[in-house]
Amino acid sequence: MRIMAYEALDFYDVDSLLTEEERMVRDMVRDWVDEEVIPNIEIACREGVFPDEWRVALGEMGVLGAPLKGYDCPGLSYTAYGVICRELERGDSGLRSFASVQGSLAMYPIWDFGSEEQKNHYLPKMASGEWIGCFGLTEPDYGSNPGDMITKAEDMGDHYLLNGAKMWITNGTIAELAVVWAKLDGVIRGFIVEKNDPGFSAPEMKGKHSLKASVTSELVFQDCKIPKDRILPGVKGLRGPFSCLNNARYGISWGALGSAQACFDSAKDYAMSRIQFNHPIASYQLVQNKLSWMLREITKGQLLAYHLGKKKDSGTWIPEHISLAKMNNVDIALEIARVARDIHGANGILDEYPIMRHMANLESVKTYEGTHDIHNLIIGRHITGIQAFTREA
Amino acid sequence: MNITVLLKQVPDTTAKITISDGKVDENSVSKWSMSPYDEYALESGLQLKEKTGGNLIAITCGPERAKKMLTDAAAVGADTLVHISNDGVTDSTHVQKLLAAAVKKFDSQIVLCGKQAADTNGGSTGPGVAELIGAACVTLVSEVNYSEGNFSTIRPSNSGTEKVAVDGLSVFAFDKGTSELRRPNVRGIMMAKKKQVESITSGDLGVILNSSNVALNSQNPPPEKPAGQKFEGAEHVNEVVSKLRNEANVI
């Protein structure tokens, strides 16, 4: 029998705008998160592991690569993909990161830029969760500025030779394959590297205070030899990785709302039951002001995410729309987590409550997939027509 | 083999129930769900279908909103969805007549249902339908197995459990089953979206709903629980132990 069904904060009934199919997908993921993720997440974080059962369950539910069509992929709407991200991230940002990387960063480039053989070979097993993928773009010295990456590929006639290193790679150590971006004759190209390719290793990065239930790795290529048919034929230049990032960032704009809702729920419940000066602290104006502010920001974020979903589904979006939603929703989620910690008082630091975990996770989410500041610069460029990323024109 | 599962949509077990003018206010129910015992019946039906092949027919008698529950059943594997309008239904014998007529119409060899619905807790549907269609009925079952034309089932007995074998048309009413209802997946949800719900009325089934001998006078919320008792300090140990033993009966 089901445990207590989760009722999400949805002040403006935004979810009533979803299709019945989208709502059914929401309920499926929501129930799974309640039953399998929330009871186990703190242990996973303490142990610093991504539970393998979650990979299996995501594959069985059929949500990986949600908006991709064909090749045994789910073929859902982008709105449904957003809803899935939100429900997963109510559990934990590390879980949502797993799904984002698998779907938007590893499956998507193969689906959009891969050869027919590559699509048939990789996508069905990635949609089922059997094969995990990761995405290698960021390097130790090139984060916000990936265009100057050092990793390079050389055409050796009958194979390519990769040399270089990637860092901050979600799923790296547990991945069967990596979509790696490297310069071939000075042009950025995508390559599929498999875990047993000679000269490739993916050591795990330890010591994170954030996204502890997610695996983060380095990818190291030392004369890594890969067959010629592993290059992604369909794209050249930064457009390749940026198309992937647009989809992942879109998912994050929904996902962050899941974290924000978890923090709001916990803060509300705590405020209603915590007695100080003979009354629940929820009866005091300063606490009500905080809760009211949280509800206001979550409601605005929901409308932003929903409308962006419609724009993704109708193909009327521009990357700047995604920058705004990613930046705003992660920003408010992090601030909501901090205010929620405040409402919880000292209890807020314990893992009996989800607050500190979400807060620490959101510090990463604010930085990855385009930092908060970079998204501001993307919008700044849109407003003024002047790029402010670099001093060199 | 045609396997029929009888389902009822009820207020979710976590939904708050409000009473206005002596009746449950259905509009204030925030979430409607499949009755939990019916979920066990549905899961058992799905497992039987996997073993024997055939068609799983999900039938409900209820208002329009109950169609959503049929779509949920389709998402986990129900093949045929039948909604019987509850227009003119005033008591449980009406529901039994309609369900029995639908079971006959769809020519089922086996009927599975929950032992009682989570809202009314009446418990009459399984035995009532069995009586009307002339079927064997086994209640409070936890699993149903099929082999060579016979169904066998496990139910509680005086001294533990008993295994009951039935042949021919049978109705099984589920208590808590051995397996929870499976989770849907995206593929199931997308197939469910395409599946039509067959809507039928008492007229379509040739059932005449006679005036009822039963009148529901009023409904009341359960009495509020008395406030908890709080004891502080070691001097209360004897009193607390005595209360736990004699009043709460927990030690």
Side-chain angles (χ1 to χ4, degrees):
Chain A
M1 296 212 185
R2 267 194 235 113
I3 53 172
M4 187 88 170
Y6 174 69
E7 266 195 60
L9 170 70
D10 187 6
F11 189 56
Y12 270 25
D13 282 336
V14 183
D15 275 13
S16 67
L17 300 169
L18 301 174
T19 63
E20 185 176 342
E21 176 181 295
E22 287 160 355
R23 274 197 294 272
M24 287 173 80
V25 171
R26 175 197 68 188
D27 291 345
M28 169 186 74
V29 179
R30 181 175 285 180
D31 289 348
W32 176 70
V33 167
D34 275 330
E35 287 163 26
E36 305 295 336
V37 177
I38 290 174
N40 298 310
I41 181 63
E42 297 298 348
I43 292 169
C45 282
R46 277 188 209 168
E47 292 175 356
V49 295
F50 179 81
D52 195 51
E53 307 87 81
W54 295 357
R55 167 188 68 81
V56 174
L58 291 168
E60 282 174 355
M61 286 190 284
V63 296
L64 296 170
L68 307 180
K69 293 182 172 57
Y71 310 98
D72 293 348
C73 296
L76 291 166
S77 64
Y78 269 95
T79 304
Y81 171 53
V83 170
I84 291 165
C85 289
R86 182 186 71 190
E87 296 305 324
L88 294 177
E89 197 149 357
R90 184 173 64 87
D92 190 70
S93 304
L95 170 62
R96 199 269 309 133
S97 299
F98 175 92
S100 290
V101 168
Q102 177 78 352
S104 289
L105 299 184
M107 293 171 71
Y108 174 80
I110 296 171
W111 181 84
D112 201 5
F113 311 125
S115 67
E116 207 51 36
E117 292 73 27
Q118 289 168 343
K119 293 180 199 186
N120 284 316
H121 181 63
Y122 294 107
L123 291 177
K125 286 202 166 69
M126 294 177 81
S128 72
E130 189 180 339
W131 286 350
I132 300 174
C134 67
F135 174 88
L137 176 68
T138 298
E139 299 186 354
D141 294 326
Y142 295 93
S144 295
N145 174 24
D148 284 345
M149 68 172 64
I150 295 170
T151 303
K152 64 172 189 174
E154 280 175 275
D155 189 342
M156 308 302 284
D158 63 344
H159 64 272
Y160 291 111
L161 208 58
L162 289 182
N163 276 290
K166 301 289 181 181
M167 204 173 181
W168 306 112
I169 310 305
T170 300
N171 296 352
T173 310
I174 56 174
E176 201 71 29
L177 62 132
V179 172
V180 176
W181 304 92
K183 282 183 175 166
L184 177 66
D185 300 325
V187 178
I188 294 175
R189 298 294 303 263
F191 298 88
I192 301 168
V193 178
E194 296 186 1
K195 73 172 181 191
N196 293 323
D197 285 337
F200 173 52
S201 60
E204 187 170 354
M205 295 169 65
K206 293 288 190 185
K208 286 178 296 167
H209 281 298
S210 172
L211 298 178
K212 292 171 87 162
S214 167
V215 174
T216 310
S217 315
E218 293 175 61
L219 305 182
V220 182
F221 310 97
Q222 283 178 313
D223 287 334
C224 171
K225 196 174 158 182
I226 61 167
K228 290 293 280 265
D229 62 6
R230 299 263 204 81
I231 192 167
L232 294 177
V235 73
K236 287 179 184 171
L238 274 177
R239 185 176 77 80
F242 281 175
S243 324
C244 306
L245 291 172
N246 275 327
N247 285 333
R249 291 165 178 174
Y250 162 74
I252 292 170
S253 73
W254 281 85
L257 295 171
S259 285
Q261 289 186 346
C263 293
F264 172 84
D265 293 339
S266 184
K268 187 191 93 176
D269 290 348
Y270 187 83
M272 298 290 281
S273 60
R274 172 72 175 173
I275 310 287
Q276 287 295 284
F277 304 106
N278 300 323
H279 297 285
I281 60 170
S283 67
Y284 299 125
Q285 291 182 358
L286 283 171
V287 173
Q288 287 198 3
N289 186 46
K290 290 183 173 86
L291 292 171
S292 163
W293 173 80
M294 289 181 184
L295 179 142
R296 168 159 64 109
E297 291 304 329
I298 289 172
T299 302
K300 287 192 284 187
Q302 287 169 335
L303 291 166
L304 208 57
Y306 176 78
H307 191 66
L308 181 61
K310 287 288 119 186
K311 292 188 84 60
K312 281 288 284 175
D313 281 323
S314 61
T316 54
W317 61 281
I318 54 173
E320 288 80 356
H321 292 151
I322 294 176
S323 288
L324 179 75
K326 190 270 181 184
M327 172 179 78
N328 180 77
N329 288 2
V330 176
D331 196 34
I332 61 123
L334 178 56
E335 205 48 42
I336 284 167
R338 290 171 178 161
V339 174
R341 211 289 306 148
D342 196 19
I343 291 174
H344 282 75
N347 281 306
I349 69 165
L350 296 174
D351 68 5
E352 191 181 327
Y353 300 92
I355 307 302
M356 282 295 270
R357 179 167 52 77
H358 280 297
M359 189 199 299
N361 283 342
L362 287 162
E363 292 287 353
S364 294
V365 179
K366 189 176 182 185
T367 288
Y368 72 21
E369 306 267 354
T371 68
H372 183 82
D373 287 349
I374 285 288
H375 286 301
N376 265 317
L377 296 182
I378 289 170
I379 292 168
R381 181 182 59 185
H382 181 73
I383 298 167
T384 63
I386 305 165
Q387 73 80 20
F389 303 108
T390 167
R391 293 189 196 163
E392 290 92 53
Chain B
M1 180 161 69
N2 280 341
I3 303 160
T4 288
V5 182
L6 305 177
L7 303 172
K8 183 175 182 188
Q9 192 189 41
V10 298
D12 193 85
T13 45
T14 60
K16 201 170 160 242
I17 308 292
T18 52
I19 310 266
S20 64
D21 296 335
K23 275 201 80 179
V24 170
D25 179 9
E26 295 206 346
N27 293 323
S28 73
V29 174
S30 58
K31 190 178 178 195
W32 294 89
S33 300
M34 188 181 297
S35 184
Y37 294 114
D38 297 355
E39 287 190 354
Y40 292 111
L42 176 57
E43 176 58 34
S44 177
L46 292 167
Q47 290 181 11
L48 278 176
K49 187 186 114 173
E50 280 163 359
K51 282 189 202 120
T52 64
N55 187 26
L56 193 143
I57 305 153
I59 305 180
T60 192
C61 173
E64 277 295 302
R65 59 169 160 72
K67 288 181 177 173
K68 162 74 172 71
M69 176 193 59
L70 293 176
T71 310
D72 289 341
V76 289
D79 302 292
T80 305
L81 312 178
V82 183
H83 172 254
I84 310 169
S85 161
N86 67 343
D87 274 356
V89 169
T90 52
D91 72 29
S92 48
T93 46
H94 288 163
V95 176
Q96 291 156 23
K97 279 184 186 170
L98 291 168
L99 292 173
V103 168
K104 278 189 190 159
K105 176 177 154 82
F106 288 91
D107 192 25
S108 300
Q109 284 77 57
I110 174 173
V111 179
L112 308 165
C113 61
K115 66 169 181 173
Q116 66 199 61
D119 53 355
T120 56
N121 290 311
S124 61
T125 299
V129 169
E131 185 66 22
L132 290 170
I133 62 174
C137 182
V138 190
T139 56
L140 307 181
V141 306
S142 55
E143 61 179 85
V144 173
N145 296 300
Y146 177 82
S147 131
E148 293 165 18
N150 287 306
F151 297 107
S152 65
T153 183
I154 305 288
R155 71 184 306 283
S157 73
N158 288 344
S159 52
T161 59
E162 60 192 14
K163 191 173 173 183
V164 181
V166 193
D167 61 356
L169 183 58
S170 326
V171 176
F172 296 97
F174 268 78
D175 201 337
K176 189 173 176 359
T178 43
S179 20
E180 301 285 329
L181 180 60
R182 63 196 60 190
R183 209 181 298 288
N185 58 34
V186 166
R187 197 160 295 168
I189 289 171
M190 291 175 104
M191 301 236 297
K193 186 184 65 172
K194 292 184 195 124
K195 213 156 264 178
Q196 289 289 321
V197 175
E198 200 169 320
S199 292
I200 50 180
T201 63
S202 54
D204 298 333
L205 290 167
V207 172
I208 296 161
L209 300 174
N210 298 320
S211 63
S212 177
N213 297 327
V214 181
L216 181 65
N217 291 332
S218 72
Q219 292 171 313
N220 296 298
E224 283 198 22
K225 278 187 192 162
Q229 298 175 47
K230 200 171 172 182
F231 302 92
E232 277 180 40
E235 66 270 25
H236 295 290
V237 168
N238 285 340
E239 190 188 351
V240 171
V241 169
S242 149
K243 279 174 180 290
L244 289 174
R245 181 167 292 144
N246 301 322
E247 292 178 23
N249 297 320
V250 291
I251 54 173

